[in-house]
Amino acid sequence: MELTPIKARGKRRRGNHNTTITPILNKKLKAKSKSNRRKLPKDKPAPEEKKPDLEHMPLEILEQIFFLSENVNLPRASHRIGKILSGYSTKREAFISGFKFYWDVYLKLEGLFYHDNFDPDNHEFQSSLLAYSWANIQFILECWDMHYQRRKQAVPGFIGTLQCSCSDGNVIKRPSDGFRDHYAEFSQIEHVNQHNYQSLFQNMRPHYHTRLHDRTRIPDSLLTSPLDDEGLKKLFWLVRSNIELSPDQTWEVTLQAFQHATPSCSRLNFTAVRLLDNMSTFTTWPLHILLEELKRLESLASALEESFINLDPGTPSLPTQPDKRRDMIGLVYIRAIIDNFCCYRRTIHGK
């Protein structure tokens, strides 16, 4: 079909040729016309079901995953998981889960709750739990008592091995009662005088009751810093469980622990010294370290002996003044440690 000629005013025609203008379609109008077309509905794929991740699991399920995996890094996986697993009851159940097998062995109940030859190799889990600051001696004894009460309720007629008398004649009804009685007996120092100090390192092993995994690690914080009363009780609980030093806890670490326990005669922590001796600490020291510490103790003892020149050597009791009494007890213990070091020097190093 031929285009219709359009006449344009003001244009001069040249000859007999007709002037034609070809119309140009507007691209915008063309695009708009396409957009106005009806779109046919397309089939949408079914939405995929979202699987719940650890962060959105209920506390009960997340706790069981934590207890069974025995992975202390799980609470560190995210802030939300750490917040969920940071409750006091969760910490308590995690501690009981890590130690209950060995407590049942002590209670002679392992045959009722575990199959034959069951031995959880969870020393890393135990070591990690003990290293936390919230795992103090009060927390440990609370967990021990709770597990003991649960076993009494679960086993009909169960009496347990705790039905014995304390040193004061009272019956031990909870593990914590026995622990406190044994600790008081072990740390008792008031009966010491200048005549019986030689027997301090004889027959003084603590009563071994509970046992931990053979490779459970003593927290380094109990060896590298001065011990307060809570830390001393926690170390006693570990030694009482027949725990030993790890291979990497060498004489450098134990030397630091010994120096913290013996800064001076008046500030001597003889209970800590005895616990270190229970772990055979001094037998691993090199000879030059043993001699250096022996010299240091001799200087401490000599300084104190000058203040007791007028003390009657035949007096079986200690001075009545608090300061003098404390200094004399420190001097007696220093002499006991010196004698013990000399014994190690002769038997181990032959010098």
Side-chain angles (χ1 to χ4, degrees):
M1 179 178 177
E2 296 182 359
L3 298 176
T4 303
I6 299 176
K7 296 180 180 181
R9 296 180 62 182
K11 297 290 185 181
R12 294 181 61 184
R13 298 178 181 176
R14 296 180 181 179
N16 295 326
H17 297 284
N18 295 327
T19 304
T20 59
I21 300 177
T22 303
I24 301 175
L25 297 178
N26 194 335
K27 294 183 180 180
K28 293 184 179 180
L29 294 176
K30 186 177 181 181
K32 186 175 181 181
S33 63
K34 288 183 179 180
S35 63
N36 291 333
R37 296 176 185 174
R38 259 183 110 181
K39 296 182 179 180
L40 297 176
K42 297 181 180 180
D43 296 336
K44 296 181 179 180
E48 297 182 358
E49 296 183 359
K50 293 184 178 181
K51 298 181 180 180
D53 53 9
L54 288 177
E55 292 187 350
H56 298 88
M57 284 186 176
L59 173 62
E60 294 78 8
I61 298 178
L62 194 59
E63 280 184 339
Q64 292 303 314
I65 295 175
F66 180 40
F67 301 158
L68 294 177
S69 65
E70 296 184 340
N71 185 2
V72 294
N73 292 319
L74 179 60
R76 304 168 184 165
S78 70
H79 177 74
R80 179 178 175 82
I81 295 178
K83 186 177 181 180
I84 295 174
L85 296 177
S86 62
Y88 186 83
S89 61
T90 302
K91 296 175 182 178
R92 184 177 57 203
E93 294 301 325
F95 197 89
I96 294 176
S97 176
F99 291 85
K100 63 181 180 180
F101 171 76
Y102 298 92
W103 291 344
D104 287 336
V105 171
Y106 162 66
L107 297 174
K108 300 180 181 179
L109 294 176
E110 67 274 16
L112 299 177
F113 297 95
Y114 312 93
H115 58 76
D116 295 340
N117 300 324
F118 176 77
D119 183 16
D121 187 12
N122 62 345
H123 63 280
E124 293 183 355
F125 188 52
Q126 289 186 354
S127 302
S128 300
L129 291 175
L130 289 170
Y132 282 110
S133 58
W134 46 260
N136 53 31
I137 188 60
Q138 300 300 329
F139 178 85
I140 293 173
L141 294 180
E142 179 185 349
C143 295
W144 192 186
D145 287 344
M146 179 173 290
H147 179 72
Y148 178 72
Q149 294 300 327
R150 288 176 180 176
R151 289 302 189 237
K152 285 185 64 177
Q153 297 175 2
V155 181
F158 170 69
I159 299 178
T161 58
L162 300 177
Q163 300 300 317
C164 56
S165 298
C166 298
S167 57
D168 56 2
N170 296 325
V171 177
I172 297 176
K173 298 181 179 180
R174 299 178 304 175
S176 58
D177 295 337
F179 170 83
R180 293 187 178 93
D181 181 73
H182 296 154
Y183 178 77
E185 180 183 357
F186 182 79
S187 58
Q188 179 65 33
I189 62 174
E190 291 301 317
H191 64 280
V192 178
N193 56 50
Q194 60 266 38
H195 296 290
N196 65 2
Y197 73 88
Q198 291 88 352
S199 62
L200 288 176
F201 283 92
Q202 300 174 5
N203 301 323
M204 55 79 176
R205 299 287 176 180
H207 303 278
Y208 295 123
H209 283 258
T210 58
R211 287 187 65 90
L212 307 181
H213 194 284
D214 294 339
R215 289 185 290 171
T216 298
R217 180 186 179 88
I218 298 176
D220 290 336
S221 59
L222 296 179
L223 301 174
T224 58
S225 59
L227 293 178
D228 55 6
D229 187 59
E230 291 295 316
L232 199 60
K233 289 179 180 178
K234 184 176 180 179
L235 182 60
F236 176 78
W237 183 82
L238 292 171
V239 177
R240 185 173 177 257
S241 302
N242 203 26
I243 198 171
E244 297 180 355
L245 293 169
S246 300
D248 62 328
Q249 292 175 329
T250 57
W251 64 267
E252 291 91 346
V253 178
T254 57
L255 174 62
Q256 190 175 1
F258 178 76
Q259 291 177 344
H260 284 309
T262 58
S264 64
C265 289
S266 59
R267 296 167 53 199
L268 181 69
N269 191 339
F270 194 70
T271 302
V273 175
R274 295 174 69 192
L275 291 175
L276 291 173
D277 185 70
N278 269 260
M279 294 183 289
S280 303
T281 297
F282 309 126
T283 60
T284 62
W285 284 8
L287 178 59
H288 71 279
I289 296 297
L290 194 65
L291 295 177
E292 288 179 3
E293 289 303 303
L294 189 60
K295 183 178 179 180
R296 183 176 69 87
L297 295 177
E298 287 282 4
S299 62
L300 291 177
S302 300
L304 270 180
E305 284 177 345
E306 295 179 359
S307 61
F308 295 107
I309 294 178
N310 298 325
L311 184 65
D312 184 4
T315 304
S317 60
L318 295 174
T320 57
Q321 298 87 349
D323 294 340
K324 291 290 185 180
R325 184 180 180 84
R326 184 181 64 248
D327 292 344
M328 175 56 79
I329 290 176
L331 178 60
V332 170
Y333 285 160
I334 287 291
R335 283 300 174 192
I337 299 172
I338 290 174
D339 289 351
N340 201 43
F341 275 23
C342 292
C343 180
Y344 283 137
R345 184 182 61 182
R346 290 192 300 268
T347 57
I348 298 176
H349 301 284
K351 296 183 180 181

